[in-house]
Every structure is written in C-alpha cells, then in structure tokens.
Amino acid sequence: MQKITLTTFLIAFVFACSSAQQAEPKQTPVKSKSRLPANYKVPVKNKSFEGEGSRLILTARRFAPGEAVLLQLESRDGKPCADCTIKLNGKEIPVVTLPSGGWGIAGIDPDEKKTEIELQWQLEGLAVNSQILKIANADFPVYHSTLNLGKYSEAGHEKKKESQDHLKLSWELKKNAYAQSDANHLGGSFFHPRDQHKITSPFWAKRVYARYRVKDGKKEKLKPLERIHRGTDLRGFEGTPVYAMNKGRIALAANLYYEGNFVLIDHGNKVYTGYMHLSRFEVQQGEIVEAGQLIGRCGSTGVVTAAHLHLFTMVHGVVIDGLSLLALTVPE
Ligand SMILES: [Zn+2]
C-alpha cells in the first residue's frame, strides 16, 4: 500500500486527478483538426419511441449513468415544436425548435441507481406520451489506497491568506460565468478536445482512502475519505493543443485555484464544457468559438501532479462524461 503524507495529499488529490509523470516537449504545431483522433471510434446507439402525433428518437454513446442523450422530436404533421415538452426522469429538458419538431440534450445522473427511468413528451394540444427508458448499471471504477496522516491533523492545516483570496475569487468568477446562460449555440457533430486519445483518469472514478495515524506507537484508524473524479483526464503534454468540443461563447478564461488556467464554454441551453490546467489561453472571454477551434494548450496549472487536460462537462446541472457528447449530432 502506498503511503502519502497529508501535505502531498492536499496538493495532489483534491480533485482526485492523477496522471503519470510526463516528459515536457516544447510546442506542438497545430495541424488542421479532424473531428476524432486517428483510430478512435465512438459507438452510437439509437432508440425510437412512437407517441401521439410524434416520434421521439434518442441517441447516446451508451444509455447509462453519466452519459449525454440527444432527444429529437419529430411531429407527424410536420410542424415546428412550438409548445412541446420533453421530460427525462421527471426533469424538463429545454427544447430547441426545428421546422418539423425539436430537440434537446439531457444528462443521465452519474449517481442514478434505477435501471428504468421515465420518459415523457407532449405536443401542444395532444396527450402526454409516457415510456420507460432502460439504462445500464453504472460501472465506474473504485480505487483503494491508504493514507498515513502521521502527526498531522486536518484541522490544523489551514490555507495561506493568498490561497484563500484566490479560492474566493475563483468561486466568484465561476458563479458569475454560470449566472449568464445563452440560447442554443450547438450544431452538428462534437469534436474531441485533443488530437490524441488517452484517458489517464476515468470519469466518476471513486478513490477511497483508508486513513490512519500512529499515536503512542499504536495504529489508529480514521474515517475513510472518498473522492469522486468529476471529469475525464486526457493525456496532454505541456503545450499540446486543446479544442472546443462545439460552438459556444467563452464564458470564462481565467486562472482559478484548483482548475488552474480554465476555459469554460457556454454552448447554450445550460450545456457547458470546461477545460482545466491549461498552460496557455488561445481565446479570450466573451469570444464565440467554433467546434474544433483551438482554445488553449495543455499544462499543469492549478492543483495537479502532471500536465494533462481535465475535461469537465455539465448538462442542465448534471455532471456527465464529456466524451459521451462525441456520439451526438445536433440538428442544424
Ligand atoms: Zn481530473
């Protein structure tokens, strides 16, 4: 079992991000961006449901916790979805109107325990359609390790004033960025945020730390500590490119305490992708970016052990695996 001191723990594991130590080659030239890295394929699954005056088509990489789902509503009379509603698991999904229907994106909660969730939709003036969507069980990895807290106690380990100020500012910047929410920017296919695909720490991985300290020569057990990885870590040496996954507005491009240099894209309709630990920004706050546009460079800023890209994705307040968006093609 690995022994880690409290100081190392605080620095390295606050976000439970982990990456192998990496060499640091200089800037990589940026070639024209292809949607997905070479030899990387994304499965696409569809489910279709018939309802009164309509058909609802669902698309996902997998129908499982932590995955994004595209919901496309086709009206039989070929009219736009002026006043239609879609609900997944009782939660209303904002619908973008199309000439003969509409669409929305939902996230299946990573902590969802049910394997059958309710799907409801309704067109103006017609009956509510109700169906059951079967989803797979969550199978996120769990890692165990041991922490020896030695003579330290957590209570006495306070952050410096400078760090506290930075934390407070970071919190305010994020709060302001999420306060403004755009109408839809999304369209077409999503782009992989890197030009190569290697996951160094998977989405929603749980790390359980069995903790103890040695007091008067006796090993004293402490309450285990659990940390959930609320994003996907992708390999990215210092200076390698990071791309926007789809069109959106740069809601934030700032240096934050944990996230380091952080770019947050508001894709509209409460769909956000965030790119952490960057060494450099290639965009400015407020700018509108296209899918596949260079937005920054990988780095090791913020609370990290080595250079990598931490991809953070949130759909209507639900944190999902951003890579699941790659299975979706948004109607334009
Ligand atoms: Zn991470």
Side-chain angles (χ1 to χ4, degrees):
M1 282 302 209
Q2 202 181 354
K3 282 185 184 176
I4 307 164
T5 66
L6 179 64
T7 313
T8 317
F9 169 74
L10 286 171
I11 292 169
F13 292 99
V14 175
F15 272 152
C17 296
S18 77
S19 290
Q21 282 298 323
Q22 293 162 349
E24 295 183 0
K26 294 289 169 216
Q27 295 284 307
T28 311
V30 182
K31 297 182 215 109
S32 64
K33 166 72 175 151
S34 54
R35 194 175 84 77
L36 298 177
N39 305 319
Y40 178 63
K41 290 191 171 52
V42 182
V44 179
K45 291 189 175 158
N46 288 296
K47 289 187 188 213
S48 179
F49 300 93
E50 300 296 327
E52 194 185 348
S54 59
R55 173 188 291 153
L56 187 62
I57 301 158
L58 271 56
T59 309
R61 180 176 67 170
R62 281 173 74 223
F63 291 96
E67 298 284 301
V69 181
L70 177 71
L71 305 104
Q72 294 183 79
L73 194 49
E74 291 176 359
S75 61
R76 287 229 177 81
D77 61 5
K79 284 186 183 156
C81 222
D83 226 342
C84 56
T85 52
I86 306 176
K87 280 185 187 173
L88 186 66
N89 219 2
K91 195 171 175 181
E92 191 161 344
I93 309 302
V95 178
V96 180
T97 305
L98 288 174
S100 61
W103 65 270
I105 289 184
I108 302 175
D109 194 319
D111 286 329
E112 183 60 65
K113 298 287 182 279
K114 288 179 280 182
T115 53
E116 292 187 342
I117 57 177
E118 198 178 24
L119 184 62
Q120 287 186 320
W121 74 99
Q122 185 178 26
L123 266 66
E124 193 185 6
L126 298 179
V128 176
N129 304 290
S130 229
Q131 295 276 354
I132 293 296
L133 173 65
K134 287 191 171 156
I135 59 167
N137 282 311
D139 59 350
F140 302 118
V142 180
Y143 304 113
H144 292 269
S145 55
T146 305
L147 286 176
N148 175 7
L149 297 185
K151 60 184 178 181
Y152 297 101
S153 80
E154 282 180 279
H157 198 89
E158 280 171 13
K159 288 192 176 71
K160 284 186 207 148
K161 168 93 172 62
E162 211 178 86
S163 306
Q164 283 177 356
D165 290 348
H166 194 188
L167 259 172
K168 196 170 165 235
L169 177 69
S170 304
W171 175 253
E172 273 165 21
L173 286 172
K174 278 190 282 185
K175 200 175 84 181
N176 292 340
Y178 288 117
Q180 189 192 336
S181 186
D182 291 11
N184 180 58
H185 290 295
L186 293 172
S189 299
F190 284 83
F191 278 62
H192 196 287
R194 292 276 299 115
D195 54 1
Q196 59 151 249
H197 177 80
K198 169 123 180 72
I199 293 172
T200 54
S201 182
F203 176 75
W204 222 253
K206 190 196 268 186
R207 288 171 199 274
V208 182
Y209 303 96
R211 301 183 305 162
Y212 70 93
R213 66 180 159 204
V214 180
K215 207 176 169 188
D216 303 328
K218 276 189 188 165
K219 200 166 166 179
E220 188 187 339
K221 265 193 176 178
L222 299 168
K223 200 177 161 222
L225 193 72
E226 289 188 2
R227 285 286 180 270
I228 301 266
H229 189 222
R230 292 162 61 83
T232 310
D233 284 357
L234 293 162
R235 182 153 83 185
F237 298 128
E238 191 90 20
T240 51
V242 175
Y243 303 101
M245 290 192 73
N246 207 310
K247 193 179 175 184
R249 176 179 55 85
I250 305 296
L252 191 58
N255 181 267
L256 309 185
Y257 184 83
Y258 291 116
E259 297 86 344
N261 290 333
F262 178 50
V263 168
L264 180 71
I265 304 182
D266 180 353
H267 298 288
N269 271 334
K270 297 212 181 314
V271 178
Y272 297 91
T273 55
Y275 311 79
M276 298 184 189
H277 314 307
L278 305 178
S279 59
R280 211 169 83 195
F281 297 113
E282 300 284 359
V283 284
Q284 286 183 348
Q285 214 162 296
E287 216 176 290
I288 299 289
V289 291
E290 296 298 325
Q293 186 178 328
L294 179 71
I295 53 168
R297 303 276 178 175
C298 286
S300 53
T301 56
V303 180
V304 285
T305 51
H308 71 279
L309 173 67
H310 175 110
L311 176 67
F312 169 80
T313 308
M314 196 161 67
V315 176
H316 317 305
V318 178
V319 177
I320 58 152
D321 184 351
L323 296 180
S324 69
L325 290 169
L326 296 171
L328 316 183
T329 304
V330 176
E332 289 182 282

